Amino acid sequence: MIQQLIDRYKRIRTERFHVQTYQYSYAFVGMGQHSLTNLYPVLHYLGVPLKYICVTSERKLQLIERKFPHVKATTSLDMILKDDEVKGVFVSASPSAHFFIASQVLQSGKSLFIEKPPCQSLQELDALNDQQRLYGIPEHSSPTRSLSPVAMVGLQKRYAPAVQTLQKRLRKEELVSYDLHYLTGAYPEGNALLDLYIHPIDLVCFLFGTPDIIACQQISPASYILMLRHPNIIGTLELSTSYTWTSAEESLKVCTSKGIYRLSQMDELTFEPKPSIILGFPIEKIHKYNKNIEHLYARNNFTPLLPNNQLYSQGYFNEIRAFIDAVESRKIHVLTDLQSVRTIYEVISKIQEIKVHSSYSHSAH
C-alpha cells in the first residue's frame, strides 16, 4: 500500500513536469560563458522552443549547429526580428552591445529578456523605457495574445528563494540597520560598477526601497564603501574587487527590533532572535542565554533535486520561467521590468558623479 502511494506520487510529479509545454518560439542572442553555464541549461530543462541562436562570429556558427542541432545558427539579428514565430528574445551578449540590441528587439514588438547591465547609463535606460512605451503593442497583435510584449532585465537575485523569504519576513519587522559585503577578485574585463555591483545595489533597493547616498568612499579604482538611507533603514555596503574569486563573498546582515537576519551567498538564510530587554536592561547579562538560530532557507547539497541546484537557489530558474510564462500570457508577475531598474541606475549614476568629483579633488591637490 505504501509503495503504491509512493509510485503514484512519483508518477504525478513526473506528469506535472511533462505536461507544461510552450506555444511560441524564442531566440537567443549571445553565446558566452555566462549564457552556456547559467541560462541555456534552464531553457533546456524547461523545454523552451529555441528557434535561433545569434552570434557575431562566423566561426561560432558551425560550433552552434553541432552542439544545438535543432536550433538555427545565424549572425543576422534582423532575420530573427522579422520572424513572426519568434515571440521572445533572450539577449546575453557583450554589455556594451546590450543597449543597441535591446532597442532593436523593443522596436520589433517582441518580448525582451536582457541580461544585466541592460545599458551603460541612466539616459540609455530612459530611452529603452520610452521605446517600450512606443513599440510595446505590435501593430498586428495576434488575438490569442492577452498580454503586450514583456521587457525584463536579468537581475536574478530578486527571484532567489532566500531573497523572497527574507523580503516577506522584513515586511513584518521594524528595521534598524543592515550591512552588506560583496567581495571578489580583480575584474579587468569590464566595468565592475555596472557588471558586478549592480547586483548588491539592486538587492538592497529591492528589499528596502529607494535610497539616498549618505556617504561614498572610493577605496581603490573599483572598490567602494557606501552608506545608504532607505525609507525605513540605514545600511552600509562594501563593494570590492580587492579580495579573491576563490573565496568570493556575498553576505547580508539585517538587524531588526526582533532579531538578526543573515543571508549568505543566496544559499542560506537564518534568523537569530534577540534576547529580552526589561526596562532597558539586557537579561542576557544576568542569565545565561542559549542562542536560538532559526534556519529559514538552506540549499541541500546532498540531494540532487532542482530546488538544491545553484541555478535554482541563485534565482536563474525562477527568473527565466517568469519571463517565459509572462510571454505565454500566464499572468506571472515580472519583478524586473525596465522601469523597476531605474532606481538602481540612479544610485549608480550618483556613485559615478561622486567618483568624478573625487578624482577632480585629488587632481587639484
Side-chain angles (χ1 to χ4, degrees):
M1 181 65 179
I2 294 178
Q3 187 60 46
Q4 289 178 346
L5 290 173
I6 293 174
D7 293 341
R8 176 177 171 79
Y9 168 74
K10 289 183 176 180
R11 185 175 68 254
I12 292 174
R13 186 176 59 184
T14 302
E15 290 174 354
R16 188 185 298 123
F17 171 78
H18 288 297
V19 79
Q20 186 174 12
T21 57
Y22 300 103
Q23 57 181 322
Y24 300 128
S25 293
Y26 296 82
F28 203 111
V29 180
M31 197 185 180
Q33 188 62 44
H34 171 68
S35 305
L36 291 170
T37 305
N38 300 319
L39 305 181
Y40 281 111
V42 178
L43 294 173
H44 177 73
Y45 182 89
L46 290 172
V48 175
L50 200 60
K51 186 173 182 179
Y52 296 97
I53 293 178
C54 181
V55 291
T56 56
S57 167
E58 292 281 352
R59 178 176 166 275
K60 282 187 176 180
L61 293 181
Q62 295 180 354
L63 300 175
I64 294 171
E65 289 171 349
R66 286 202 298 266
K67 190 170 185 65
F68 302 94
H70 303 296
V71 177
K72 181 175 179 60
T74 180
T75 58
S76 172
L77 177 61
D78 193 52
M79 175 193 294
I80 294 171
L81 301 183
K82 288 180 178 179
D83 190 332
D84 291 335
E85 290 185 2
V86 175
K87 300 300 182 185
V89 181
F90 292 88
V91 179
S92 181
S94 169
S96 61
H98 278 182
F99 174 70
F100 173 76
I101 300 172
S103 298
Q104 296 296 107
V105 175
L106 290 173
Q107 291 175 31
S108 74
K110 298 185 186 299
S111 289
L112 167 71
F113 177 97
I114 180 81
E115 255 301 340
K116 56 80 189 169
C119 53
Q120 297 296 303
S121 68
L122 181 60
Q123 291 72 27
E124 288 186 349
L125 181 67
D126 287 339
L128 292 179
N129 273 301
D130 290 342
Q131 288 174 2
Q132 186 187 15
R133 284 190 289 269
L134 184 61
Y135 300 102
I137 302 177
E139 190 174 338
H140 303 291
S141 275
S142 167
T144 61
R145 302 257 300 161
S146 61
L147 295 178
S148 60
V150 180
M152 177 173 164
V153 181
L155 290 166
Q156 79 282 351
K157 295 185 190 300
R158 295 192 191 187
Y159 296 87
V163 173
Q164 290 287 303
T165 300
L166 178 59
Q167 185 189 52
K168 291 177 183 176
R169 293 284 294 244
L170 293 179
R171 285 172 182 164
K172 305 173 184 178
E173 296 270 12
E174 181 183 343
L175 306 180
V176 178
S177 65
Y178 72 80
D179 179 28
L180 183 146
H181 296 272
Y182 188 91
L183 316 175
T184 72
Y187 187 71
E189 64 266 38
N191 183 335
L193 192 55
L194 276 171
D195 298 353
L196 300 180
Y197 303 155
I198 190 172
H199 279 303
I201 293 172
D202 175 65
L203 178 61
V204 297
C205 291
F206 179 65
L207 290 174
F208 308 120
T210 303
D212 292 321
I213 299 177
I214 301 175
C216 174
Q217 181 66 51
Q218 186 177 5
I219 54 179
S220 73
S223 299
Y224 303 86
I225 300 291
L226 301 176
M227 179 176 286
L228 303 182
R229 179 191 289 112
H230 303 263
N232 299 307
I233 192 172
I234 292 177
T236 60
L237 299 86
E238 180 185 9
L239 312 175
S240 180
T241 58
S242 298
Y243 290 79
T244 166
W245 286 102
T246 304
S247 55
E249 177 187 343
E250 182 178 17
S251 61
L252 172 65
K253 180 171 64 178
V254 184
C255 179
T256 74
S257 59
K258 295 181 179 179
I260 300 169
Y261 292 90
R262 288 183 174 87
L263 174 62
S264 177
Q265 313 285 85
M266 301 296 143
D267 284 340
E268 184 178 34
L269 175 63
T270 63
F271 175 68
E272 180 185 338
K274 290 180 181 177
S276 300
I277 297 177
I278 299 178
L279 299 176
F281 196 86
I283 300 302
E284 60 184 319
K285 284 194 171 185
I286 302 174
H287 296 290
K288 181 182 178 181
Y289 175 71
N290 294 319
K291 185 183 292 188
N292 178 28
I293 296 180
E294 182 182 357
H295 293 269
L296 302 176
Y297 176 83
R299 189 169 66 88
N300 186 334
N301 291 316
F302 179 77
T303 311
L305 299 175
L306 174 63
N308 299 326
N309 191 297
Q310 273 193 310
L311 294 180
Y312 189 89
S313 63
Q314 290 290 323
Y316 291 109
F317 182 87
N318 288 334
E319 169 191 62
I320 291 176
R321 184 172 60 181
F323 174 73
I324 296 294
D325 285 345
V327 174
E328 302 276 329
S329 303
R330 294 178 181 174
K331 299 181 179 179
I332 301 298
H333 178 55
V334 172
L335 300 175
T336 51
D337 58 81
L338 282 171
Q339 186 59 41
S340 74
V341 180
R342 197 176 194 282
T343 297
I344 293 87
Y345 271 80
E346 288 175 347
V347 174
I348 291 175
S349 180
K350 290 176 183 176
I351 295 173
Q352 289 172 329
E353 290 176 8
I354 293 171
K355 177 181 176 181
V356 170
H357 292 317
S358 176
S359 298
Y360 286 154
S361 299
H362 289 144
S363 298
H365 290 295

